[in-house]
Amino acid sequence: MDDHAHLDHVHPDHAHLHGSYWLDTAPPGTLLPPPEGPLTVDVAVIGAGIAGLSTAWELARRGRSVAVLEADRIAAGVTGHTTAKVSALHTLIYDRLRRTRGPEAAALYARSQAEAVRHIAETADALGVDCDWEETAAYTYAEDVSRTDALKAEAEAAREAGLPAAYVTDTDLPFPVAGAVRVTGQAQFHPRKYLLALADGIRRLGGTIHEQTRVTGLTEGDPCMLTTRSPASATEVGARSVVVATHYPVFDRALLFSRLSPRRELVVAAPLDAIGAPLGMYITQEQNTRSVRTAPMDDGRRLLIVTGEHFTPGSGGDVEERFARLCAWATDRFGDLTFTHRWATQDNDSTDSVPLVGPLHPGSRHAYVATGFGGWGMSGGVMAGRLLAEQITGGTSPWDDLYDPRRLASVVREGAAFLKQQADVARHFVGDRLPSLTEPSVETLAPGDGAVLRVGGERRAVHRDEDGQLHALSARCTHLGCLVAFNRAERAWECPCHGSRFDVRGAVVQGPAVDPLEPRDL
């Protein structure tokens, strides 16, 4: 099929499209205010996505006093922009684990993820929340016959690891595939509806949740001390234990950023007639990743959700063109579509494809981290919450070692991925400081566009708004100083080194940066 055949006809009027469907259909509700003054709790959890709220829920159920500190709104960040597949089938992970860490590690991974899938279902039932939970099968597929050997190996490895996996050639997609790995008993849901109910459950158990509360400092000790910043004030939070669940760690005492690579993917959505709409969840690594699922709509139709076109933040080129390619692919395979939503999601891949969940660094006694879910944060975040709750309350888990951020053996085995990540970051650190032969000028900036320009010997991030006004900021990411780049489609400045993102006024949209880009004069 020609993914570009209809490119000119599927470029919707993006100005009239909604953003994330999950945010659009589950409003945020009343703001949960920042702490009014110094606060002391058993556990402070930084981040109110699925990993943070799952951790807080498990700890509150064990009788611990918990405070969740969220820089924005509950489930409005990465979790609010996911595709919300709840699955233990993670593309081609099991054959890789079997080869790199052995069959036992693959079995532990499968068990931990499968238990997380069941745990979400049980928790949703206990909370009495209607979160559009649908049990279905998950598929990793390929259209290219040359990839079927890898799929057969994955099906065998996943089956050996304990999953109900099979190699198949038939699916409920409206186009043929060469082959697929199928795992039954998986699920899809509305993540924001689930997490808003989970947040209410945490509060009923005595926990507190504070939105618009950005954590800017961590001093480890007994207790640990956090410094926070909110629109109106700043305060401190003392906690026996701290969990950093900010997707990309805002505190990196173990240099985890050297083992994480950020990846951004685009999402488009359009209604389908329920009759004939696929009910399975699908993903392929072909065509720069294509992920497909549908969700139930109030009017009886189903919403087709297509994800793909992954790229490193700040290195995506023409992101509008990427959106158009994704729309063209969906139209080629599903017929005429009227796109209603588009958004983007961001993930972090670890160098060995296994999340980093456990103590924050080798010397840590009271600080923990959950990161590196590689696009599978729904099951991974719940797994992390259960694992960290066990560790914080003095228990152990069969998969402590599998996910331990301090593991070194797997880093050695995955040396090529580790070195590639460091080379990419080093390229930006060095290349950003060299003069460019083709730098744009202020005069060339169209309304809505932005670019990094050299002004008076300094690099500045300059954006021209739709009214023609210019806005200049420091072009150095406040995390570690890499040069940001402009994403016109999302109107954001992005750091290609570690994935920090800023709005056109410089405010932090996504970490690990915690400080804004400073304004500059032109």
Side-chain angles (χ1 to χ4, degrees), residues 84-222:
K85 298 177 179 178
V86 187
S87 174
L89 179 63
H90 298 170
T91 319
L92 300 177
I93 183 68
Y94 293 102
D95 186 45
R96 180 174 183 176
L97 278 176
R98 183 174 62 173
R99 289 183 285 104
T100 59
R101 298 184 68 175
E104 183 179 351
L108 287 172
Y109 188 95
R111 181 181 159 198
S112 67
Q113 299 294 328
E115 286 190 9
V117 174
R118 290 193 294 270
H119 192 66
I120 297 177
E122 293 166 357
T123 303
D125 186 61
L127 293 170
V129 56
D130 180 5
C131 57
D132 299 338
W133 183 268
E134 295 180 319
E135 186 172 309
T136 187
Y139 297 80
T140 298
Y141 76 92
E143 296 179 70
D144 184 348
V145 70
S146 69
R147 296 175 178 259
T148 56
D149 285 346
L151 294 174
K152 291 175 182 177
E154 180 66 12
E156 177 188 359
R159 189 166 54 250
E160 288 180 358
L163 295 180
Y167 176 78
V168 299
T169 54
D170 293 328
T171 73
D172 67 348
L173 288 169
F175 55 88
V177 303
V181 184
R182 182 188 66 202
V183 173
T184 56
Q186 309 307 289
Q188 53 194 11
F189 72 151
H190 193 304
R192 189 163 171 77
K193 289 179 180 178
Y194 173 78
L195 286 184
L196 290 176
L198 195 64
D200 288 342
I202 293 167
R203 296 169 69 199
R204 284 196 298 271
L205 291 173
T208 61
I209 299 175
H210 304 282
E211 297 178 305
Q212 294 188 354
T213 303
R214 185 176 298 280
V215 176
T216 58
L218 165 63
T219 302
E220 294 184 58
D222 191 8

Side-chain angles (χ1 to χ4, degrees), residues 389-401:
E390 284 292 333
Q391 294 180 349
I392 289 170
T393 56
T396 59
S397 165
W399 33 86
D400 280 346
D401 292 340

Side-chain angles (χ1 to χ4, degrees), residues 257-510:
F257 65 77
S258 66
R259 296 162 61 190
L260 294 169
S261 55
R263 166 169 52 91
R264 197 153 184 81
E265 289 187 319
L266 308 182
V267 187
V268 294
L272 286 179
D273 192 304
I275 299 175
L279 298 179
M281 304 179 296
Y282 295 89
I283 189 167
T284 178
Q285 294 179 327
E286 296 172 322
Q287 296 106 21
N288 196 20
T289 306
R290 293 293 185 262
S291 168
V292 175
R293 65 158 288 198
T294 63
M297 301 180 69
D298 290 340
D299 61 6
R301 295 181 296 172
R302 295 190 67 84
L303 187 73
L304 174 69
I305 302 171
V306 178
T307 308
E309 287 298 314
H310 77 253
F311 59 92
T312 300
S315 303
D318 188 341
V319 179
E320 289 288 3
E321 182 73 10
R322 291 182 180 275
F323 269 117
R325 283 202 294 267
L326 201 59
C327 291
W329 184 91
T331 301
D332 283 341
R333 285 156 176 77
F334 292 90
D336 290 336
L337 298 170
T338 301
F339 295 95
T340 57
H341 295 76
R342 81 166 193 175
W343 66 93
T345 186
Q346 191 155 314
D347 295 300
N348 296 308
D349 299 308
S350 70
T351 51
D352 66 355
S353 302
V354 176
L356 304 160
V357 182
L360 180 59
H361 58 82
S364 180
R365 301 181 63 182
H366 303 291
Y368 302 82
V369 68
T371 187
F373 297 114
W376 302 102
M378 298 299 97
S379 61
V382 172
M383 176 281 298
R386 302 178 75 203
L387 176 60
L388 293 176
E390 284 292 333
Q391 294 180 349
I392 289 170
T393 56
T396 59
S397 165
W399 33 86
D400 280 346
D401 292 340
L402 175 67
Y403 294 106
D404 194 331
R406 301 166 296 183
R407 63 186 185 263
L408 293 177
S410 63
V411 174
V412 174
R413 284 191 294 267
E414 298 298 326
F418 177 83
L419 293 174
K420 180 182 183 302
Q421 164 64 6
Q422 296 320 297
D424 288 344
V425 172
R427 176 170 52 83
H428 287 290
F429 271 119
V430 175
D432 288 350
R433 287 156 174 78
L434 298 176
S436 171
L437 298 178
T438 58
E439 287 192 358
S441 64
V442 171
E443 291 74 16
T444 64
L445 286 183
D449 208 351
V452 172
L453 310 177
R454 189 177 295 275
V455 180
E458 180 187 355
R459 295 285 179 85
R460 299 185 186 178
V462 182
H463 167 66
R464 187 186 297 277
D465 64 27
E466 298 295 348
D467 295 327
Q469 296 296 311
L470 294 171
H471 306 273
L473 305 164
S474 167
R476 297 288 175 194
C477 176
T478 56
H479 177 226
L480 290 178
C482 288
L483 204 65
V484 299
F486 193 66
N487 178 339
R488 179 185 173 93
E490 300 183 69
R491 298 293 196 272
W493 295 102
E494 299 176 339
C495 175
C497 289
H498 306 109
S500 295
R501 304 179 70 247
F502 308 83
D503 69 17
V504 293
R505 299 300 176 116
V508 177
V509 174
Q510 194 156 7

Side-chain angles (χ1 to χ4, degrees), residues 44-55:
V45 178
I46 310 172
I50 194 164
L53 289 177
S54 295
T55 303

